Amino acid sequence: MKLSEGVEAAIHCATLLAQLEEGRTMPASALAEYHGLSPSYLLKHLKTLAAAGILESVSGPHGGYRLARSAEAVTLLDVVLAIEGPKPAFRCAEIRQRGPGALEPQAYAQPCGINIAMLRAEQAYRAELRKTRLSDVISNYEATADPRSIAFGCAFVDRNQRPQG
Amino acid sequence: MKLSEGVEAAIHCATLLAQLEEGRTMPASALAEYHGLSPSYLLKHLKTLAAAGILESVSGPHGGYRLARSAEAVTLLDVVLAIEGPKPAFRCAEIRQRGPGALEPQAYAQPCGINIAMLRAEQAYRAELRKTRLSDVISNYEATADPRSIAFGCAFVDRNQRPQG
DNA sequence: GCTACAGTACTCGGATAACCGCTGTCCGAGTCCAACGGG
DNA sequence: CCCGTTGGACTCGGACAGCGGTTATCCGAGTACTGTAGC
């Protein structure tokens, strides 16, 4: 079990985007520079987030990305599902229906108990991720990070945010 | 996020192994036949489970695999961690320490809030998996499965289990 | 008839190729600004 | 001086290679049975 590397980048970017002023946007190149990542690759994930309705994109010279809704309305689960896809991590291949002891398909109306247990665990995982909103991440960041980091972030946002599109 | 295909096979095999009599073993070839899987590939995962201390292996003509401890003492988490590895699904690459605003490493004594949230969710996932024991899976199976499947399983176990090694 | 031995067949164990998805990258479509020329 | 037009530059969007990891497989090491030969 392993999550895509892009999940971390996506969350960081969403966090930064949440800090710019209402209606403003920030281009992918600025986000990549701020996080020290490859612009080309980051763009791929930003595109995915936009397709999922978490970000909005604005084209043109003063374009860029911004949150499609408030930071309180975006959970970590939203971001993870957008990048990783909605399919559960455990995909039951219905092994029980294979082999020499297999019966007709109608005999397997009851779902596989293993699948149920695995999906229940994943529901717990998702429920926990759903509890954390983007705004919570920001609050925690502002409360614990080095003041110099916060100041740099604010300055960077002021410098790179684009006017209302 | 996706789990290895082998997790499902591993759980099914462990479940079947839990049903044979005390001290008996069952060869990988029988497990593969019962589940309609490739013997070569299944052996790989059984080996992994044995290395993790969940199964015990016995070599020789009457050899095979058996549970290393009781079905009550094996949780789904044990099996998943054995196959997938103990590392968390979310691996923080410390993106916050990259980019032009990075500070000296000492400034990042506090762990990354994003990482904390992701790990907390994974702890919930593992806690849920830890609740389900192999014996629970068997109980559920015997309570819900088609009687013919259960009878076939019992007959198969009787036919393929090897004497105490 | 009993025992010791060698051969054999069966098991697991580790090392080795093939496929798939994430990683990383590029160029094209669309959009807004700005400069320029005309009125 | 003001306005329309045109050119340019900047943005996102989708399509294209490269690589690591899981999948799938094979042959070798070890062990217990079995048949045989000797006592």
Side-chain angles (χ1 to χ4, degrees), chain A residues 146-158:
Chain A
D146 189 295
R148 289 172 292 169
S149 289
I150 297 174
F152 181 89
C154 289
F156 187 90
V157 167
D158 285 343

Side-chain angles (χ1 to χ4, degrees), chain A residues 1-5 7-9 11-12 15 33-38 76 80 84 87-96 98-104 107-108 110-114 116-118 120-126 128-129 132 137 140 144-146 148-149 152 156, chain B residues 1-5 7-9 11-12 15 33-38 76 80 84 87-96 98-104 107-108 110-114 116-118 120-126 128-129 132 137 140 144-146 148-149 152 156:
Chain A
M1 170 151 123
K2 95 183 156 57
L3 271 74
S4 172
E5 188 83 11
V7 171
E8 185 180 2
I11 297 175
H12 276 279
T15 303
E33 179 197 347
Y34 182 84
H35 295 111
L37 299 172
S38 155
L76 290 188
V80 170
E84 293 289 325
K87 288 197 292 282
F90 182 82
R91 297 143 300 164
C92 183
E94 289 292 332
I95 285 183
R96 60 179 182 160
R98 302 176 60 168
L103 304 173
E104 68 280 0
Y108 299 99
Q110 290 287 333
C112 176
I114 294 172
I116 291 177
M118 296 300 293
R120 187 167 51 219
E122 189 152 357
Q123 287 305 317
Y125 180 78
R126 295 188 175 192
E128 193 65 35
L129 279 185
T132 304
V137 173
N140 176 277
T144 63
D146 189 295
R148 289 172 292 169
S149 289
F152 181 89
F156 187 90
Chain B
M1 172 151 121
K2 95 183 156 59
L3 270 74
S4 171
E5 189 84 12
V7 171
E8 185 179 4
I11 296 174
H12 276 280
T15 303
E33 178 197 348
Y34 182 84
H35 295 111
L37 300 173
S38 156
L76 289 188
V80 170
E84 292 288 326
K87 289 197 290 284
F90 182 81
R91 298 143 300 165
C92 183
E94 290 292 334
I95 286 183
R96 59 179 183 161
R98 301 177 60 169
L103 303 174
E104 67 280 1
Y108 298 99
Q110 290 288 332
C112 176
I114 294 171
I116 291 177
M118 297 299 292
R120 186 167 52 219
E122 188 152 358
Q123 286 305 317
Y125 180 77
R126 295 188 176 192
E128 193 65 33
L129 280 184
T132 304
V137 174
N140 177 276
T144 63
D146 189 296
R148 289 171 292 169
S149 289
F152 181 88
F156 188 89

Side-chain angles (χ1 to χ4, degrees), chain A residues 26-107:
Chain A
M26 182 177 286
S29 58
L31 289 166
E33 179 197 347
Y34 182 84
H35 295 111
L37 299 172
S38 155
S40 310
Y41 182 49
L42 190 60
L43 200 54
K44 181 187 182 71
H45 292 305
L46 293 172
K47 176 186 69 177
T48 304
L49 291 176
I54 296 173
L55 300 185
E56 284 178 350
S57 65
V58 176
S59 292
H62 284 197
Y65 287 96
R66 66 173 164 234
L67 286 184
R69 46 188 197 267
S70 72
E72 287 80 15
V74 176
T75 69
L76 290 188
L77 179 65
D78 296 328
V79 178
V80 170
L81 288 186
I83 300 293
E84 293 289 325
K87 288 197 292 282
F90 182 82
R91 297 143 300 164
C92 183
E94 289 292 332
I95 285 183
R96 60 179 182 160
Q97 295 192 34
R98 302 176 60 168
L103 304 173
E104 68 280 0
Q106 292 78 12

Side-chain angles (χ1 to χ4, degrees), chain B residues 3-136:
Chain B
L3 270 74
S4 171
E5 189 84 12
V7 171
E8 185 179 4
I11 296 174
H12 276 280
C13 286
T15 303
L16 190 62
L17 288 175
Q19 295 181 44
L20 44 80
E21 298 166 22
E22 180 71 20
R24 305 296 188 86
T25 62
M26 182 177 285
S29 58
L31 288 166
E33 178 197 348
Y34 182 84
H35 295 111
L37 300 173
S38 156
S40 311
Y41 182 48
L42 191 59
L43 201 53
K44 179 188 184 72
H45 292 306
L46 293 172
K47 177 187 68 178
T48 304
L49 291 176
I54 295 173
L55 301 184
E56 282 178 352
S57 66
V58 176
S59 290
H62 284 196
Y65 287 96
R66 66 173 164 235
L67 286 184
R69 47 188 196 268
S70 72
E72 287 81 15
V74 177
T75 68
L76 289 188
L77 178 64
D78 296 329
V79 179
V80 170
L81 288 186
I83 300 294
E84 292 288 326
K87 289 197 290 284
F90 182 81
R91 298 143 300 165
C92 183
E94 290 292 334
I95 286 183
R96 59 179 183 161
Q97 295 191 34
R98 301 177 60 169
L103 303 174
E104 67 280 1
Q106 291 80 11
Y108 298 99
Q110 290 288 332
C112 176
I114 294 171
N115 194 20
I116 291 177
M118 297 299 292
L119 291 182
R120 186 167 52 219
E122 188 152 358
Q123 286 305 317
Y125 180 77
R126 295 188 176 192
E128 193 65 33
L129 280 184
R130 198 180 287 115
K131 288 180 188 170
T132 304
R133 291 183 285 272
L134 219 50
S135 52
D136 300 327

